[in-house]
Amino acid sequence: MRRTISALIGASACLIASAHAQELDWKKVDETLGRKPAVADDVHRYGFPRTDLSVTLDGVTIKPSLALGGWVAFKPVHGGAMVMGDLVLLETEINPVMARMIANGLEITAVHNHLLRASPATFYMHVAGHGDPVKLASAIHDALAESKTPLTAAAPANPALAIDLDTSKLDQIIGVKGQANGGVYQFNVKRRDPITEGGMPLTPVGAMGVATAVNFQPTGEGKAAITGDFVLTSDEVNPVIVALRTHGIEVTALHSHMLDEQPRLFFMHFWANDDAVKLAEGLRTALDKTASLKN
């Protein structure tokens, strides 16, 4: 009965939000954040890639699309919008940005690493808020101004940049169609179970950061550096750890991103630099331990 009531509340919220989406002044949000969003259904997602950083790990220079792509996503809800985001920061930037976020009424839901041995070390701050979308955007902009995150929109990453990998083979193994973005081949793998936050469905899952993300950056001779995060329920965590490690893929972080999601989710980050097909097979074995969809 509780699930039924929650579902009805969620469905009602969606209908109200859908009607409300047309009323939001997205142009002012764009102007406040200084960039155009990627729009998926009713979600407007703004990228804040750390193009100012040169980060290396195990001799690999990390492209922004591999692991330095901060973002915030706005979704219309009754009373305005909900915002969720994942911002890439240096260690010295965490406290100034956090202080400004809190002062401006935003919540901090997680701070953690994704990678090990990266130089310089990067950290990832997850934020959340609810209210007037222009005020939320202004709060985020002011907080990011406490860091060196580029606030002038850069040219979009070149999706046509060559991917020196057998991407058709990778698509076949992972089980979904990937996309090239700035020299990185990216996958979003959806879960079968619906995910909500405060009773609101987090859809589309890719735009809201709750799909498993897998990124391949070519490193030559069929090899790739891979990273991303698995979206897992508690019972899936250790089977996925074993599957990844068995296939030579390092588990680099395990943590939560949100505070009130249903079901309770854990995010597992990983890293390897090896034969891309071999790594894809390891990732597929790990995905088979989860409630993931295939195309």
Side-chain angles (χ1 to χ4, degrees), residues 131-155:
D132 181 289
V134 177
K135 291 181 179 177
L136 292 169
S138 180
I140 291 165
H141 181 277
D142 290 351
L144 283 175
E146 299 291 336
S147 73
K148 292 185 178 178
T149 301
L151 294 178
T152 301

Side-chain angles (χ1 to χ4, degrees), residues 38-166:
V39 180
D41 295 343
D42 62 346
V43 172
H44 289 223
R45 176 168 163 139
Y46 299 83
F48 289 91
R50 291 303 300 261
T51 52
D52 58 311
L53 298 177
S54 177
V55 178
T56 60
L57 198 169
D58 296 346
V60 177
T61 299
I62 295 174
K63 294 181 182 296
S65 302
L66 182 66
L68 304 175
W71 57 270
V72 293
F74 290 73
K75 184 176 180 66
V77 297
H78 182 61
M82 66 182 295
V83 64
M84 296 172 58
D86 182 5
L87 304 171
V88 184
L89 300 171
L90 297 176
E91 183 174 353
T92 55
E93 297 172 335
I94 292 173
N95 280 314
V97 171
M98 182 183 293
R100 187 57 66 93
M101 288 283 184
I102 294 170
N104 288 344
L106 289 166
E107 291 186 334
I108 310 301
T109 60
V111 179
H112 48 236
N113 69 299
H114 287 183
L115 305 169
L116 303 175
R117 304 181 302 281
S119 179
T122 51
F123 296 86
Y124 301 78
M125 180 184 291
H126 290 260
V127 300
H130 179 201
D132 181 289
V134 177
K135 291 181 179 177
L136 292 169
S138 180
I140 291 165
H141 181 277
D142 290 351
L144 283 175
E146 299 291 336
S147 73
K148 292 185 178 178
T149 301
L151 294 178
T152 301
N158 183 0
L161 201 62
I163 302 290
D164 186 20
L165 297 171
D166 187 347

Side-chain angles (χ1 to χ4, degrees), residues 3-18 196 199-201:
R3 288 186 177 180
T4 302
I5 293 173
S6 296
L8 289 171
I9 292 172
S12 299
C14 286
L15 290 173
I16 294 170
S18 178
T196 64
M200 189 72 183

